[in-house]
Amino acid sequence: MAEVDAAGAAGSSALLDLPEPLLLLILGFLHDPRSRNRAALSCTRLLAAERATRAAMSLRGDPRTPEFLLLPPGFCFPALQRLDLSLISPWGHPLLSSASPAAGYNDTHHHHHPDEIAERNAFVAGRLAAYFPAVASLAVYCRDPSTLENLAPCWRGTLRSVKLVRWHQRPPGLPGGADLEPLLRNCPALRALDLSEFYCWTEDIVPALAAHPLAAAALTDLDLGLAGATNGFPASELGAIAASCPNLHKLVAPCVFNPRYVDSVVGDDALRSLASSCPRLTVLRLSEPFEPASTSQREQAGITVVGLVAFFAALPELEDLTLDLQHDVLEAAPAMEALARGCPRIKFLTLGCFQGLCKASWLHLDGVAVCGGLVSLCIKNCQDLTDNSLAAIGRGCERLAKFAIQGCDLVTSAGIRRLATALRPMLKEVSILQCRFLHTAECLAALSPIRDQIESLEINCDWEEVEQPGCVANGTAECNHEDDEPDETSYESASKKCRYMMELDNFSSWEMLRSLSLWLAAGQQLSPLISAGLDSCPLLEKISIKVEGDLRTCPRPSPLSVFGLSDLGAFPVLAKMKLDLSEAVGYALTAPTGHIDLTQWDRFYLSGIESLESLYELDYWPPQDKDVNQRSLSLPAVGLFQRSVGLRKIFVHGTTHEHFMSFFLKMPNLRDIQLREDYYPAPENDMMITEMRPESWLRFEMQLNNQPRFTKSEWH
């Protein structure tokens, strides 16, 4: 060890001689937190410089421990502006609350007097303010208003942006707006409020803004996404929000567009009122938080082309627009042309259930194809969008770097290929979701013109074999397709489809692909991934896999049958994986004869994860039994996680038993693990489904942090 210290001192002498401005400049080139932390551990001078220049931090662990609260006075980050307190452990429990279940490691079973709790909360808040005096952007998990009552005054003069997180149910008995009242009352400099991951009622927003008109008028960014929202804002509340916040530049809100609902945002008056109240909007995202209606059940949304033309003319600074409806807006092409004229800065556009967006009936461009400045375009549930429409969009929107399509049933692989060919110089991100005549293999083949430059790919389509039975017979192409569709639609011919599939082997690799998202039906294996053309992705860093369906109806897998995670070992730099089984439904506790429970499905899906040597981070949503609200990590899943020795971060969106956590202590590289109940409704009484109580989690965290990280041989 002495030899190592001497070598380190000799090697760092040149660095220690650098002047302070140059040292800070060198440190400024390190943006990755791990790289900065390593540099700070090299010497005390770099440690001080890193603290003086750190701009953002996300706290994990428990900041209520004596080790954190009793740090020396010199421990300070004077330049830190972005602080994230939403991930502290135990995750989802209040940091500062009158009913805090975990105030520390040693006092979780003691009942404290309210005065003692208030004094403790004030002390914790004061320590945070002393360590981070210049916080301008704060993210925090708020189970009840008392957390903000203690934290908001700490950064009264500096706090400009706040993100609130809460997936648990809203505390009963709170008056309307009580969650936001401490923040609006104590933070006069507040300009941005993000509630996209905060569960509350839509009725809570208007009273809070009305009670503090000066704070509401000062807001410029307001995200009212409301996690787990099952309803949206009616027209009266949307108008009241806009009237209270006239200086908004960004507004995100779920709205009720269904004409059958009372006070829904139908007709043109609601949109005109919104535009007149907030004329400076640059980002406007209005969506309907309901399940998509089938084509036969859709009605007219009541928004006319004339109203949209006036609406766009009143928002000349608009750059990002989302109107995601579940009911139809008919003949929208003139409105899109008015958007191009009235909003020349428009770059990001998302439209849902807008029909007639681009007819492409003549050589000239029409509809959305005339919006030549678009950088991102997402089209959902447009039933008359054809291959010719995509070709016209490719000719007119030459700057598109991101294109997404969902639920457009007339589009075929020929249209995707024509769009990709036209946008080859620019297109980097593609998303193709739930289109009737598009299959995964066909989509991959159609994207061949941009295969060497695409960076992000999301496909949510049915899987189809690359060489289908009946496609090639006697040397001729004989692919059969549905013959019950209208004759005027443009579909890909059988010969072209088969030729695209046979040409897969001649394509180049996905040289620039860094992010991949796939959808598979329940019980389906991952092996078609390679055969579909995704065998060569040298730069793939992140993969997201969504499994959906009823596992109770799937055949019982054989002992040797596995999902196929080992196939992902072909991607040499794969570092992050999201495996989402949240919509895979099965039996949690008992299963009838001939069926298996979810523990065996965990084994099926996670087998082979140990072969992913480069995997650094895993985001796992266990399968569930909706009948008992059971989303838990099983013993086979924990045992398979333990075998993946390279994992450093594990995030489980569910619960587990305390004695299962001992398996994670045997993973040598594991540094961070969290159990997140970030699904709604998150269980209020954890003892109903798990033994993992807050104090149990804190004990596990202490054991994890005290694990030896290096062996004696590694030091030498």
Side-chain angles (χ1 to χ4, degrees):
M1 184 65 69
E3 296 177 359
V4 173
D5 294 339
S12 61
S13 59
L15 184 63
L16 294 177
D17 293 337
L18 292 177
E20 192 72 17
L22 186 58
L23 188 64
L24 295 178
L25 180 63
I26 294 174
L27 195 61
F29 286 104
L30 299 179
H31 302 288
D32 179 59
R34 291 187 64 194
S35 300
R36 293 182 65 94
N37 293 339
R38 289 174 177 176
L41 293 176
S42 60
C43 65
T44 56
R45 190 179 178 195
L46 275 177
L47 176 62
E50 199 281 330
R51 288 181 182 174
T53 58
R54 174 69 71 96
M57 180 178 292
S58 178
L59 282 185
R60 302 183 189 271
D62 188 6
R64 294 157 294 201
T65 60
E67 291 81 5
F68 181 83
L69 296 177
L70 301 179
L71 288 171
F75 183 85
C76 179
F77 293 83
L80 191 137
Q81 295 187 349
R82 300 186 300 276
L83 180 62
D84 189 348
L85 299 178
S86 66
L87 301 176
I88 61 173
S89 65
W91 192 89
H93 292 280
L95 169 64
L96 304 173
S97 172
S98 58
S100 176
Y105 288 111
N106 301 319
D107 60 352
T108 56
H109 296 288
H110 298 284
H111 296 282
H112 297 274
H113 190 273
D115 293 339
E116 296 179 0
I117 296 176
E119 182 179 355
R120 181 203 64 205
N121 290 341
F123 180 74
V124 174
R127 289 290 86 193
L128 290 171
Y131 300 152
F132 313 107
V135 172
S137 177
L138 176 68
V140 61
Y141 198 102
C142 294
R143 285 285 287 268
D144 55 52
S146 59
T147 299
L148 288 178
E149 284 283 4
N150 289 276
L151 285 180
C154 296
W155 300 289
R156 177 181 177 86
T158 61
L159 203 57
R160 298 179 59 85
S161 175
V162 173
K163 178 179 180 179
L164 302 184
V165 181
R166 181 172 70 198
W167 290 90
H168 290 80
Q169 298 182 16
R170 180 184 185 272
L174 285 180
D179 284 310
L180 304 180
E181 198 276 336
L183 186 65
L184 298 176
R185 169 167 45 87
N186 291 297
C187 301
L190 187 66
R191 296 296 179 268
L193 179 59
D194 186 350
L195 303 181
S196 61
E197 297 185 23
F198 187 72
Y199 178 79
C200 66
W201 298 342
T202 55
E203 295 85 349
D204 287 328
I205 306 301
V206 174
L209 297 177
H212 301 278
L214 295 180
L219 291 175
T220 58
D221 292 8
L222 185 59
D223 190 336
L224 302 176
L226 303 185
T230 56
N231 60 342
F233 292 96
S236 58
E237 292 185 359
L238 183 64
I241 292 172
S244 300
C245 309
N247 295 314
L248 284 181
H249 293 173
K250 175 182 178 181
L251 175 61
V252 180
C255 297
V256 179
F257 289 100
N258 192 331
R260 296 195 176 192
Y261 281 66
V262 178
D263 197 20
S264 62
V265 184
V266 296
D268 303 324
D269 294 339
L271 293 181
R272 289 194 187 117
S273 175
L274 173 62
S276 61
S277 299
C278 304
R280 302 178 183 178
L281 282 173
T282 59
V283 178
L284 177 62
R285 300 172 186 167
L286 305 179
S287 59
E288 202 163 8
F290 301 102
E291 291 294 329
S294 63
T295 305
S296 60
Q297 295 177 339
R298 291 177 189 163
E299 302 179 7
Q300 294 189 26
I303 299 176
T304 66
V305 172
V306 175
L308 287 174
V309 171
F311 177 62
F312 296 146
L315 297 174
E317 300 180 14
L318 200 61
E319 299 179 4
D320 187 336
L321 174 64
T322 295
L323 291 175
D324 190 1
L325 283 62
Q326 302 300 336
H327 294 270
D328 292 335
V329 177
L330 303 179
E331 300 298 330
M336 296 299 101
E337 297 169 5
L339 174 65
R341 295 191 304 269
C343 307
R345 301 181 182 178
I346 191 71
K347 295 181 180 179
F348 307 91
L349 181 61
T350 299
L351 301 171
C353 286
F354 276 66
Q355 312 302 328
L357 284 175
C358 181
K359 296 182 178 180
S361 54
W362 302 97
L363 293 178
H364 69 276
L365 301 176
D366 70 305
V368 72
V370 304
C371 300
L374 287 179
V375 176
S376 173
L377 175 62
C378 178
I379 301 176
K380 301 180 180 180
N381 301 318
C382 182
Q383 299 305 314
D384 55 7
L385 193 75
T386 64
D387 293 345
N388 291 334
S389 303
L390 294 187
I393 291 173
R395 289 191 294 116
C397 305
E398 299 178 348
R399 301 180 182 179
L400 275 184
K402 179 179 180 180
F403 179 76
I405 187 173
Q406 178 178 351
C408 300
D409 291 341
L410 298 187
V411 174
T412 69
S413 58
I416 299 297
R417 176 179 283 268
R418 294 170 68 181
L419 178 75
T421 302
L423 297 175
R424 173 171 170 74
M426 298 297 298
L427 197 58
K428 304 293 184 183
E429 301 180 33
V430 177
S431 177
I432 304 174
L433 309 177
Q434 302 168 352
C435 296
R436 179 180 178 184
F437 291 110
L438 288 176
H439 302 278
T440 300
E442 295 176 353
C443 291
L444 296 176
L447 292 173
S448 60
I450 58 173
R451 188 174 184 179
D452 59 343
Q453 71 178 38
I454 190 170
E455 298 178 1
S456 177
L457 176 62
E458 181 180 12
I459 295 184
N460 184 344
C461 300
D462 291 333
W463 283 89
E464 190 174 72
E465 294 296 333
V466 177
E467 295 182 2
Q468 303 175 46
C471 282
V472 180
N474 299 325
T476 60
E478 297 180 359
C479 292
N480 297 323
H481 304 284
E482 293 82 357
D483 55 4
D484 57 347
E485 296 299 322
D487 294 337
E488 64 271 17
T489 57
S490 174
Y491 298 136
E492 179 63 16
S493 65
S495 60
K496 289 184 178 180
K497 282 189 175 181
C498 292
R499 185 172 71 251
Y500 294 160
M501 294 179 182
M502 289 185 293
E503 289 175 352
L504 284 175
D505 293 337
N506 299 325
F507 294 154
S508 60
S509 66
W510 300 79
E511 298 176 2
M512 304 302 295
L513 188 64
R514 288 178 167 82
S515 177
L516 176 63
S517 180
L518 299 171
W519 175 91
L520 293 98
Q524 192 172 13
Q525 293 179 315
L526 196 59
S527 55
L529 173 70
I530 302 300
S531 60
L534 286 169
D535 54 337
S536 180
C537 303
L539 298 182
L540 186 65
E541 301 173 350
K542 181 179 180 181
I543 188 169
S544 176
I545 301 174
K546 173 77 171 182
V547 178
E548 186 175 359
D550 194 341
L551 296 169
R552 296 169 293 189
T553 62
C554 297
R556 185 186 185 100
S558 64
L560 299 179
S561 176
V562 294
F563 180 56
L565 287 184
S566 58
D567 293 342
L568 302 181
F571 307 139
V573 295
L574 182 63
K576 298 181 180 181
M577 181 171 67
K578 176 181 178 182
L579 183 56
D580 188 353
L581 309 179
S582 59
E583 296 301 324
V585 182
Y587 296 102
L589 303 177
T590 59
T593 304
H595 294 78
I596 62 175
D597 57 23
L598 290 178
T599 60
Q600 298 305 312
W601 284 113
D602 272 330
R603 187 188 303 277
F604 170 80
Y605 280 105
L606 292 173
S607 293
I609 193 174
E610 69 278 0
S611 62
L612 306 181
E613 298 179 357
S614 62
L615 194 63
Y616 170 87
E617 179 179 319
L618 176 64
D619 212 352
Y620 182 62
W621 295 74
Q624 63 171 326
D625 186 345
K626 293 184 177 180
D627 294 337
V628 294
N629 193 26
Q630 174 79 15
R631 195 196 302 271
S632 181
L633 197 62
S634 64
L635 179 60
V638 175
L640 290 169
F641 282 154
Q642 177 193 345
R643 298 169 61 182
S644 184
V645 296
L647 278 176
R648 187 180 178 91
K649 296 182 179 181
I650 300 178
F651 305 108
V652 178
H653 300 263
T655 58
T656 191
H657 296 283
E658 179 180 1
H659 58 279
F660 288 175
M661 301 302 290
S662 60
F663 285 75
F664 294 107
L665 297 176
K666 301 177 182 179
M667 301 176 65
N669 295 313
L670 188 64
R671 298 295 184 273
D672 191 7
I673 178 172
Q674 291 188 16
L675 296 180
R676 298 183 178 181
E677 297 172 355
D678 54 353
Y679 51 90
Y680 183 79
E684 285 296 305
N685 186 359
D686 295 348
M687 285 298 293
M688 294 178 61
I689 60 173
T690 181
E691 297 177 7
M692 199 62 191
R693 299 178 297 273
E695 56 268 24
S696 304
W697 179 259
L698 295 176
R699 285 196 299 268
F700 163 77
E701 190 172 75
M702 287 186 64
Q703 295 174 346
L704 181 65
N705 293 335
N706 292 331
Q707 287 289 104
R709 300 305 182 189
F710 303 99
T711 63
K712 184 176 181 180
S713 60
E714 290 176 321
W715 282 105
H716 296 283

